[in-house]
Amino acid sequence: MAVYTDISEDDLKRFLAAYEVGELTSYKGIAEGVENSNFLLHTTTGAFILTLYEKRVDPGDLPFFLGLMQHLADRGLNCPLPLARTDGALLGTLSGRPAAMITFLEGMWLRKPEAAHCREVGRALAEMHVAGEGFALSRENALSVSGWRPLWDKAKDRADEVQPGVAAEIAAELDHLEANWPSDLPAGVIHADLFPDNVFFLGENLSGLIDFYFACNDLLAYDVSICLNAWCFEKDGAFNMTKGMALLSGYQSVRPLTAGEIAALPLLARGSALRFFLTRLYDWLTTPAGALVVKKDPLEYLRKLQFHRSVNTALEYGLTISEPDA
Amino acid sequence: MAVYTDISEDDLKRFLAAYEVGELTSYKGIAEGVENSNFLLHTTTGAFILTLYEKRVDPGDLPFFLGLMQHLADRGLNCPLPLARTDGALLGTLSGRPAAMITFLEGMWLRKPEAAHCREVGRALAEMHVAGEGFALSRENALSVSGWRPLWDKAKDRADEVQPGVAAEIAAELDHLEANWPSDLPAGVIHADLFPDNVFFLGENLSGLIDFYFACNDLLAYDVSICLNAWCFEKDGAFNMTKGMALLSGYQSVRPLTAGEIAALPLLARGSALRFFLTRLYDWLTTPAGALVVKKDPLEYLRKLQFHRSVNTALEYGLTISEPDA
């Protein structure tokens, strides 16, 4: 949950004067996102999300994030649209922080997604990859292969606190991934954090994608591998091939994976499992004991990583190979 | 901020099936209240607050709280109205907790209220006291004079950690208040926690009162004294007589205070200052250092208490005595 900065109604009214959103009738801090402060606003013209960007977000990245949402929405993707101020800017200042007004997207994220939802997610991810083409700005992925070792160096000495033997296993894994990470696969703008809480549904229909604050330029299939990790494992740790098949076929119904992407998928999935293992491990080791933040178990991702290491081909994820000339 | 319990969209849909609120389109945990989990829901028919009552609330008190809101709303007070389920009940169960659906009240609480707002608050408090007449249920005030010593006994040994000399000062104050607390003043249903964050405004107009979870039966003028403490002091600790005058005259425009109430007001204000001092002191001493909860300074209320001790008559609060026969 996240409301790090309270705002006064006077400051808010001054801030809103630069937008054409009608009269403010209520605002509530909401428990959404972990990096920023978010408020749900009602005005005489509708509902909006107001986001105050807190310290963990680099202000230099905001034009990329907001511009990307605008670019994607312009191309028909269902995602929040940053409102332009009357001076044309997408970004203002509120309570000393960069702040943006964003359209409110109705929908709910699924605590227990089923295979049919995974298919919708795969399709939406591919639609995002296609819609992202031509976006003028770019942003390096700080949490891709080159970013893992610096993160690991900060945590490795205490990694065995989580489970004995982890330090050696991850060191070997990191060596392997660095040595074998592909560089010749299709790249573009990826979401990089498309977990269930960032995908809204209305009934069985996907109503939109949110939270583009990890978006960056990277291998498109790496984004697919993140979704395999985020959507296709059961609570008991087992990979659900029905969900994997649904997610991959949904993706391929919009953008077929290349032979190179398919071959690399198990390795990419090891990489994305390692990425979430590392950030969770770091948070686990550095979050004070009394804090109210829910610590996410890094071992969940170690187990996923181990599963991907056992995978020989993407067929084991449920991939259905379509005829090349079909 | 408060969201202690996450809820799944499936559980929520089952819960909502007992209400006539249309189709759910979104729900967000909101940072409102400190005792319960609150969600802002959008449905095809409007906006609602869903409250899950957490451990600190006695389930036996819920019929009083919800029934009171219904009673007050029926009598025209602007306050949230609990929705009845199709079986007539005001209370259901969600995620193992008692839960209620309540109408969403548009409006914003004021971070910097002015005298004109204090007048509106005084008027609304009196309207609530009048509207509360005839409410069938009753609830003792656990945080009135008889509740202070048990609270003090839990904190007194460490009170001087907050400021040397506090223990002796409060012990003497408590003796004085217990010996002189009035019992013959008009009583009824009081809000007991009408701080700025529980009063909503739209522009300059008060749009409603919220959060009746401290409401109880007690002296009406004690509720007035709580508002003097909550609304009429400046950040620097000074009492603002203009605000006091506005609050009291707003109150008296609806319900004139009796001579006995006026005479008792300084003592009642000492009591309500002590009540908030004691709960803040207790929280201060028992909240773990790493917790993300904002600790409120108990000394703010010690200074208010000291001010009230210096007050001889309610005229010093800005009370305007109207002619008895006017």
Side-chain angles (χ1 to χ4, degrees), chain B residues 300-319:
Chain B
E300 177 189 337
Y301 275 84
L302 181 63
R303 290 187 290 267
K304 289 178 178 177
L305 199 168
Q306 289 163 342
F307 168 76
H308 296 303
R309 213 151 50 205
S310 78
V311 167
N312 292 306
T313 80
L315 297 175
E316 294 170 58
Y317 295 131
L319 185 84

Side-chain angles (χ1 to χ4, degrees), chain B residues 176-224:
Chain B
H176 179 81
L177 291 174
E178 285 178 341
N180 293 281
W181 199 251
S183 59
D184 55 351
L185 299 177
V189 179
I190 71 168
H191 185 285
D193 195 39
L194 201 59
F195 277 70
D197 56 340
N198 289 332
V199 181
F200 285 175
F201 284 83
L202 280 170
E204 294 304 299
N205 301 316
L206 192 153
S207 62
L209 310 182
I210 66 161
D211 199 348
F212 290 80
Y213 300 111
F214 285 95
C216 53
N217 291 76
D218 205 340
L219 306 179
L220 300 180
Y222 179 61
D223 221 7
V224 177

Side-chain angles (χ1 to χ4, degrees), chain A residues 1 3 6-7 9 24-32 40 42 104 106-111 200 202 290-291, chain B residues 1 3 6-7 9 24-32 40 42 104 106-111 200 202 290:
Chain A
M1 76 184 71
V3 179
D6 191 30
I7 44 180
E9 72 285 0
L24 181 67
T25 58
S26 65
Y27 65 105
K28 308 280 183 197
I30 58 171
E32 201 115 315
L40 170 47
H42 290 173
F104 181 82
E106 295 287 352
M108 289 151 285
W109 69 266
L110 303 175
R111 275 66 176 174
F200 286 175
L202 280 171
Chain B
M1 76 185 69
V3 179
D6 191 30
I7 43 180
E9 73 287 358
L24 181 68
T25 58
S26 65
Y27 63 104
K28 310 280 184 196
I30 59 173
E32 202 115 316
L40 170 46
H42 290 174
F104 182 82
E106 295 287 352
M108 288 151 285
W109 69 267
L110 303 175
R111 275 67 175 172
F200 285 175
L202 280 170

